[in-house]
Amino acid sequence: MRRIATVFSWGMRRRAFFATTLLASVFLTACARRETPAAEGLRTQTLLVGNLAEPQDLDPHTATIYTDQNIITALFEGLTAIEEKTSQPVPATAARWETSRDGLTWTFHLRAGARWSNGEPITADDFVQSWRRELSPALAAETAYLLHAVKNAEAFNAGKITDPAALGFAAPDPRTVVITLARPIPYLPALVALPAWFPVNPRVLARFGALTQRGTAWTRPGNLVGNGPFMLEQWTPNARLTVVKNPGYWDAATTHLNRIAFLPIESADVEERNFRAGQLHLTNGLPTTKIPGYREREPAKLRLDPLLSTVFLRFNVAKPPLDQPKVRRALSLAIDREPISRRVLNGARLPAEHFVPPGTGGYTARARVPVDFAAARRLLAEAGFPGGKGLPVFEVQVRNDEFQPRVLEVIQEQWQRELGVRITIAPLEQKTWIQNQQSLAYTIAGASWVGDFVDPITFLDLFTGNSGNNWTGWVHPDYDRLLAAAGGENVQAKRFELLQQAEALLLDQAPIAPIFFGAQTYLIDPAVRGWEPSLLGLHRFQFVRLGN
């Protein structure tokens, strides 16, 4: 019995030992699985970024949306880049440049080590071919107007000139690019840092029929060839887009990250929850209701950065009665912006009574659109709609984000109370919201614009008749004349005076109604280093790193 008891006892102990070992193994495995994606990213140098929306495409010549360009700047690089701290142009694919005394001829010298991600050297002719593509009438790039200061560019873009050799672009040797302008543009080094001026590999695009076509497969993983610090690795629609370090980039030695994952999360609330759960290192935004809590308890994770941007309403002037300036002006005057800033935005955004943000390159608008309900009612009556009688119910399309629907709820109440104007609010995902504005398939739309560089022209150029981003249907010859005159004026005081007159005309004609100026409110993991505030919103990811 004792032996049996001993065997039984040993068997029980052995089973207990194995059970304990198994439980410990399961526990340790569970602990290992608890490593968050953010913690894993710290270990693997993979930055996890909330990007707000699914990209429409990664073609730098057809991209118009900030969230697309945020990714594109990791994959491509222009002659210059914009430094975050100063908002000034710095050498990029071009090591240096100089200009002629009359300011009409600019010469850029490419770096000897600049290569495409497939190993081919980047040549001056690649830039020339790329810019010809951007200006091609067949491509119909919305951002082509950003090249119109080049000799014959506007006429070529309009199809009035068909010979690309007539454009003011030249490549006298493989590493020298010469740009000849129609008029002096002192900010050209900042202009060529924009995606519209990025080079694309013409040989790759030719294989995919993309030289004059949009939406081809050349921008998909395995096909895209860029010249930036990262290469496209994975693109799972509505889930994630991943880029990896480009070992052939001319400055690869300073690129710290191995990977960046861009996550299309449209809801700021979802982004904030994902950040708390260790799913992100950086959010795109933050609900304003969460700012006080983070400010009090976790200030190291909260960022409130300036942003050169304006949020506004777009009016489709092709749709009566919005074809009447008095109706549009009345709607703009009947927006009390201060309660929007205070109640909806928690004081994190400033009310906008003009379009160009204050202090943009030393320029601040004189003209204003103050809240004036009495004047708005008078204008509406003069237009034939006293007390709003006879007006249809306007649909206002907005991006389904944290701000726009709530902002429109305040405006909805103000217009109904003060003017008798009724609206419905239609929240849309970003892709549809943008496409409807581009095709004028809207009546009124919430909109926003981030400056391309620090100069008022980057805002006022939007509404010229030849701007691909003028999604209002509004064209005014006097406005175009003022902008053209400003483009040819070298004396800043005289140039700014012309721009003042142009902005006053814009606000009076009111194809748009400014609401508030922008700022960047977001969350950042303290492990993210080298992430400088950017007035223009775009970052050079090659200088970002994870760790202490």
Side-chain angles (χ1 to χ4, degrees):
M1 290 293 297
R2 185 178 296 170
R3 184 176 180 183
I4 293 174
T6 302
V7 170
F8 176 77
S9 177
W10 166 245
M12 289 289 291
R13 287 197 299 269
R14 184 173 59 181
R15 286 196 294 273
F17 172 78
F18 286 141
T20 302
T21 302
L22 179 61
L23 285 171
S25 175
V26 170
F27 177 77
L28 290 172
T29 301
C31 287
R33 288 177 180 170
R34 287 197 187 105
E35 183 183 40
T36 65
E40 181 185 8
L42 182 61
R43 179 167 49 80
T44 62
Q45 287 297 295
T46 300
L47 183 69
L48 306 175
V49 181
N51 201 56
L52 183 64
E54 173 69 15
Q56 293 179 307
D57 200 0
L58 298 177
D59 187 332
H61 294 167
T62 61
T64 59
I65 309 304
Y66 161 75
T67 48
D68 291 4
Q69 293 178 346
N70 192 41
I71 302 170
I72 287 169
T73 53
L75 299 169
F76 295 89
E77 182 180 79
L79 293 170
T80 65
I82 300 297
E83 185 181 49
E84 292 94 332
K85 282 185 178 180
T86 64
S87 300
Q88 296 300 308
V90 294
T93 301
R96 58 187 176 86
W97 59 86
E98 62 265 359
T99 184
S100 59
R101 286 193 174 187
D102 61 7
L104 292 176
T105 304
W106 292 74
T107 304
F108 292 84
H109 304 275
L110 304 187
R111 297 180 185 276
R115 293 186 172 275
W116 294 103
S117 57
N118 64 359
E120 295 177 357
I122 298 173
T123 67
D125 188 62
D126 290 340
F127 277 92
V128 170
Q129 296 298 328
S130 298
W131 299 334
R132 289 176 176 176
R133 174 185 188 253
E134 170 76 13
L135 289 166
S136 165
L139 189 67
E142 291 85 353
T143 53
Y145 70 96
L146 293 169
L147 282 70
H148 280 182
V150 174
K151 179 183 175 182
N152 291 327
E154 189 170 0
F156 182 83
N157 191 219
K160 298 176 181 178
I161 294 176
T162 58
D163 182 6
L167 290 167
F169 302 128
D173 63 63
R175 287 173 51 194
T176 305
V177 181
V178 179
I179 301 173
T180 303
L181 302 177
R183 59 185 186 274
I185 299 290
Y187 51 83
L188 184 71
L191 202 61
V192 298
L194 302 179
W197 288 81
F198 283 179
V200 291
N201 188 306
R203 294 161 296 283
V204 172
L205 268 65
R207 289 203 300 271
F208 290 93
L211 288 172
T212 57
Q213 296 295 320
R214 296 167 175 252
T216 70
W218 85 271
T219 57
R220 310 306 296 186
N223 300 336
L224 190 146
V225 172
N227 71 319
F230 295 89
M231 304 180 296
L232 182 62
E233 178 186 49
Q234 172 195 4
W235 186 357
T236 304
N238 300 307
R240 82 167 42 203
L241 186 150
T242 306
V243 301
V244 296
K245 180 177 179 177
N246 177 8
Y249 177 60
W250 65 268
D251 198 22
T254 67
T255 304
H256 302 284
L257 296 171
N258 291 323
R259 266 183 188 77
I260 309 170
F262 297 92
L263 308 178
I265 306 170
E266 295 208 4
S267 167
D269 284 301
V270 173
E271 263 201 331
E272 190 271 338
R273 288 198 297 272
N274 287 358
F275 180 85
R276 280 191 284 114
Q279 305 289 321
L280 290 170
H281 294 118
L282 282 158
T283 68
N284 183 272
L286 176 67
T288 55
T289 55
K290 306 275 187 182
I291 293 175
Y294 276 96
R295 186 177 281 147
E296 179 183 351
R297 293 185 293 274
E298 297 182 282
K301 297 179 179 179
L302 177 64
R303 287 283 287 267
L304 302 172
D305 294 346
L307 181 67
L308 194 69
S309 72
T310 305
V311 175
F312 58 99
L313 291 180
R314 244 189 255 273
F315 299 121
N316 183 348
V317 306
K319 287 194 173 184
L322 294 177
D323 58 340
Q324 298 188 48
K326 287 184 178 181
V327 174
R328 303 191 302 263
R329 173 79 174 175
L331 294 175
S332 185
L333 287 169
I335 300 174
D336 189 351
R337 296 156 176 85
E338 193 279 329
I340 293 172
S341 174
R342 176 171 40 84
R343 287 162 38 193
V344 178
L345 306 174
N346 204 26
R349 309 288 192 277
L350 294 176
E353 291 186 344
H354 47 91
F355 185 62
V356 179
T360 300
Y363 170 97
T364 297
R366 290 195 306 259
R368 293 287 188 275
V369 186
V371 56
D372 192 335
F373 294 127
R377 286 190 287 267
R378 185 171 62 254
L379 285 169
L380 212 54
E382 291 174 2
F385 306 102
K389 293 179 182 178
L391 286 176
V393 177
F394 295 119
E395 180 190 71
V396 183
Q397 297 182 8
V398 297
R399 183 172 61 192
N400 189 20
D401 60 16
E402 183 214 354
F403 296 120
Q404 289 199 20
R406 295 170 59 208
V407 167
L408 261 297
E409 287 172 3
V410 177
I411 295 174
Q412 181 182 48
E413 187 274 329
Q414 292 175 353
W415 284 354
Q416 172 74 48
R417 182 188 69 236
E418 301 293 341
L419 301 181
V421 172
R422 292 175 298 149
I423 67 171
T424 59
I425 303 170
L428 304 173
E429 65 171 2
Q430 177 167 291
K431 184 177 181 180
T432 304
W433 172 67
I434 291 296
Q435 288 175 342
N436 286 356
Q437 291 179 68
Q438 289 174 324
S439 60
L440 294 182
Y442 74 96
T443 303
I444 303 175
S448 62
W449 183 256
V450 180
D452 293 315
F453 50 95
V454 186
D455 191 276
I457 199 71
T458 188
F459 286 87
L460 298 176
D461 253 0
L462 281 179
F463 303 107
T464 59
N466 60 16
S467 169
N469 289 319
N470 182 4
W471 304 335
T472 63
W474 180 76
V475 178
H476 199 292
D478 289 342
Y479 187 83
D480 288 0
R481 177 182 55 79
L482 287 166
L483 267 294
E489 180 56 66
N490 289 327
V491 179
Q492 180 165 292
K494 294 181 179 179
R495 177 171 174 265
F496 277 10
E497 179 56 35
L498 292 166
L499 297 179
Q500 292 282 6
Q501 295 176 38
E503 184 163 10
L505 178 60
L506 177 72
L507 296 176
D508 181 68
Q509 289 286 300
I512 53 102
I515 305 175
F516 60 89
F517 297 119
Q520 289 181 297
T521 307
Y522 60 99
L523 298 172
I524 183 169
D525 190 309
V528 179
R529 306 292 183 179
W531 186 267
E532 299 288 347
S534 173
L535 188 62
L536 302 176
L538 296 176
H539 295 267
R540 293 180 295 166
F541 287 100
Q542 64 265 40
F543 299 121
V544 179
R545 66 186 189 279
L546 289 166
N548 298 322

